[in-house]
Amino acid sequence: MTETKNDTASGRLNRRTLLKAAGATGLASAMNVPLVNVARAAGNTIKIGWVGCLSGVRAQFAEPDPWIQSASRRG
């Protein structure tokens, strides 16, 4: 029976070194999370989008949309 040498210096990658590298990578990426720029609004105006189906089988559900939009603009 031949013994296999479990040495990482010889260029072999074993489970332990893989887990260590994955843990170090995960820790490094977690450390960078607070440094990510947060998107902020440019001004004081907040734009709200409206998605409505104007055609197709769900067009009946969008029938009151013009009334709802005009009511929200008034209010």
Side-chain angles (χ1 to χ4, degrees):
M1 185 151 98
T2 339
E3 285 188 32
T4 57
K5 196 172 184 182
N6 207 6
D7 189 13
T8 57
S10 65
R12 300 185 79 173
L13 182 67
N14 59 12
R15 188 181 302 175
R16 180 175 290 182
T17 56
L18 179 67
L19 288 175
K20 283 182 183 179
T25 304
L27 182 63
S29 65
M31 297 286 287
N32 283 333
V33 170
L35 302 177
V36 174
N37 290 333
V38 177
R40 294 203 169 95
N44 293 332
T45 305
I46 298 175
K47 295 183 180 182
I48 300 174
W50 185 276
V51 178
C53 301
L54 299 177
S55 63
V57 293
R58 293 185 180 92
Q60 293 176 349
F61 296 112
E63 199 171 316
D65 285 355
W67 180 82
I68 293 171
Q69 290 174 353
S70 66
S72 66
R73 286 187 188 119
R74 278 186 262 142

